[in-house]
């Protein structure tokens, strides 16, 4: 059976990008594949070395995961730091990762710009830890957004170097996955770039209806099209990209036509967009508060996940040591 794995950092609440880029795909896959879904709390230390409140952060993300529809009885849901086998594999994979390729990684270059005073080795080897997360369960499919594509390519490189070096066909070569489509990037509401946790341009799954409305109404637009069938500038294209994931094809078509013949009113478009986002989020919001108020349920999920994830990880690590030739002395 094919194995699916995906993860999310423990910094900050989940936003629409996380949901439509990764989590929703995962929820759809959990019945047909063996699925692992985890919270990357150690990865977060690369940017937040002193988490304000580790437990509260992990709990929030975990509750939001579950609220999206992940069933912990079917999928294995766990916390990265609960599975130390991952970090031994990370060490091994580091011997197969080259400084030059790590320095050329887009996410590394972005972080160097964002935090020039803390360019730590953890940032440099971020893709290696990510590869270890994936390969420790020998996953083949990884539901992620477009921003993670390069990391997946690097994972395949490390995996095939391992296979070649030791003359085995052991690790699969995992691919980034989105249901039947290209990987997606949900844009932010500020007119450019992607929706991100640290950008302040996002709509969070836990935002209430009024907050969503306010954020959407404030989204950057222009003065409107002046010529028929003119090309959309980026901020308007961004609104349509979000509309495409939350609204019906008819709604999208309706506003596209209006844009093309210059009759569009951005106020109406935004009202519809906010209403459709709220319709999508309403059931998730309710379930977030259910889980947030049921710590006992969450604790059980974490314990069960740890047990299942460690069993799978320990098996891989035993086999990897055996392949390398590291055996009890
Ligand atoms: P993170 O926490 O930044 O994001 C979690 C998931 O959400 C997707 N995503 C988006 N998709 C579309 N549009 C957006 N604007 C958007 N923003 C975020 C991300 O692509 C991701 O799938 N490195 C990972 C966490 C990680 C991981 C892994 C993922 C660690 N190990 C192993 C998969 C497998 C990250 O920072 O995701």
């Amino acid at each position: 059976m094919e194995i699916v794995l995906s993860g999310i950092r423990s910094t900050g609440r989940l936003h629409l990008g996380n949901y439509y880029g990764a989590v929703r795909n995962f929820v759809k896959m959990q019945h047909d594949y063996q699925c692992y879904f985890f919270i990357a709390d150690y990865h977060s230390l690369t940017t937040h070395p002193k988490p304000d409140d580790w437990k509260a952060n992990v709990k929030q993300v975990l509750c939001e995961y579950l609220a999206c529809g992940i069933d912990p009885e079917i999928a294995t849901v766990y916390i990265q730091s609960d599975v130390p086998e991952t970090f031994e594999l990370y060490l091994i994979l580091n011997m197969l990762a080259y400084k030059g390729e790590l320095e050329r990684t887009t996410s590394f270059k972005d972080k160097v710009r964002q935090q020039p005073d803390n360019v730590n080795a953890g940032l440099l080897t971020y893709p290696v830890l990510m590869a270890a997360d994936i390969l420790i369960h020998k996953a083949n499919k990884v539901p992620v957004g477009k921003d993670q594509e390069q990391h997946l390519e690097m994972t395949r490189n490390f995996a095939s170097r391992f296979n070649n070096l030791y003359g085995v066909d052991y690790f699969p070569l995992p691919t980034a996955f989105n249901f039947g489509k290209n990987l997606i990037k949900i844009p932010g509401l500020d007119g450019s770039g992607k929706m991100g946790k640290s950008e302040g341009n996002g709509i969070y799954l836990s935002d209430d209806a009024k907050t969503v409305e306010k954020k959407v109404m404030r989204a950057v637009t222009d003065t409107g099209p002046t010529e028929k069938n003119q090309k959309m500038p980026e901020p308007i294209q961004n609104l349509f990209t979000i509309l495409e994931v939350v609204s019906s094809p008819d709604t999208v078509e309706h506003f596209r036509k209006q844009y093309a013949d210059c009759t569009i009113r951005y106020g109406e478009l935004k009202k519809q967009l906010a209403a459709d986002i709220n319709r999508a989020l309403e059931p998730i919001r309710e379930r977030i508060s259910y889980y947030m108020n049921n710590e006992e349920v969450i604790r059980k999920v974490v314990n069960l996940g740890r047990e299942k994830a460690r069993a799978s990880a320990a098996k891989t690590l035993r086999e990897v040591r055996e392949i390398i030739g590291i055996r009890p002395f």
Side-chain angles (χ1 to χ4, degrees), residues 5-9 15 17-18 21-22 38 40 43 126 130 133-134 142-145 147-148 184-186 194-195 197:
L5 173 133
S6 200
I8 204 152
R9 279 170 300 147
H15 53 66
N18 300 137
F38 76 101
H43 263 121
Y126 187 108
M130 194 162 150
D133 293 326
I134 298 168
V142 186
V144 284
D147 59 323
Q148 301 297 321
I184 61 170
K185 177 178 102 172
I186 301 291
K194 70 164 185 165
M195 191 174 283
K197 285 178 188 150

Side-chain angles (χ1 to χ4, degrees), residues 77-279:
V77 180
Y78 68 97
I79 304 169
Q80 188 183 35
S81 59
D82 265 346
V83 182
E85 289 81 1
T86 309
F87 313 115
E88 190 172 329
L89 182 60
Y90 165 58
L91 179 95
I92 293 167
L93 294 176
N94 265 317
M95 318 303 173
L96 302 170
Y98 303 118
K99 178 171 159 280
E101 67 185 337
L102 296 172
E103 281 171 345
R104 284 192 299 275
T105 313
T106 309
S107 59
F108 176 68
K109 289 195 280 190
D110 287 346
K111 285 288 181 286
V112 170
R113 269 192 297 274
Q114 287 161 14
Q115 52 179 66
D117 298 331
N118 184 19
V119 183
N120 58 72
L123 272 184
L124 184 69
T125 56
Y126 187 108
V128 188
L129 181 52
M130 194 162 150
D133 293 326
I134 298 168
L135 297 175
I136 197 74
H137 300 298
K138 300 178 76 180
N140 328 68
K141 286 192 162 56
V142 186
V144 284
K146 180 98 183 132
D147 59 323
Q148 301 297 321
E149 199 170 28
Q150 190 181 31
H151 292 157
L152 262 296
E153 192 188 325
M154 295 173 83
T155 300
R156 286 193 292 280
N157 288 339
F158 305 147
S160 63
R161 277 178 211 156
F162 180 92
N163 291 346
N164 290 338
L165 182 65
Y166 298 107
V168 287
D169 183 15
Y170 183 69
F171 282 126
L173 305 183
T175 47
F177 184 82
N178 184 24
F179 250 95
K181 281 194 275 166
N182 296 329
L183 302 182
I184 61 170
K185 177 178 102 172
I186 301 291
L189 297 172
D190 51 358
S192 67
K194 70 164 185 165
M195 191 174 283
K197 285 178 188 150
S198 40
E199 269 70 27
N201 62 4
I203 292 182
Y204 298 101
L205 303 188
S206 54
D207 280 344
D208 61 29
K210 277 262 156 309
T211 307
V212 169
E213 243 169 64
K214 259 196 233 152
K215 286 183 174 176
V216 173
M217 294 318 275
R218 275 203 311 257
V220 174
T221 50
D222 58 9
T223 49
T226 48
E227 275 171 46
K228 289 206 167 170
N229 300 315
Q230 81 180 54
K231 191 172 176 295
M232 278 182 200
E234 196 181 354
I236 311 304
Q237 181 54 53
N238 287 353
L239 290 182
F240 273 90
T241 302
I242 304 177
L243 198 70
E244 269 162 18
V245 293
V246 297
S247 303
S248 71
D250 287 351
T251 306
V252 179
E253 194 42 40
H254 168 75
F255 287 107
R256 273 202 190 286
K257 261 202 184 132
Q258 288 194 339
Y259 188 86
D261 64 20
C262 303
T263 56
I264 193 158
R265 291 210 190 126
Y266 291 141
E268 273 173 31
L269 168 71
K270 286 177 170 180
K271 254 197 202 141
Q272 180 74 44
L273 182 59
D276 289 342
I277 292 173
N278 276 326
R279 193 173 33 76

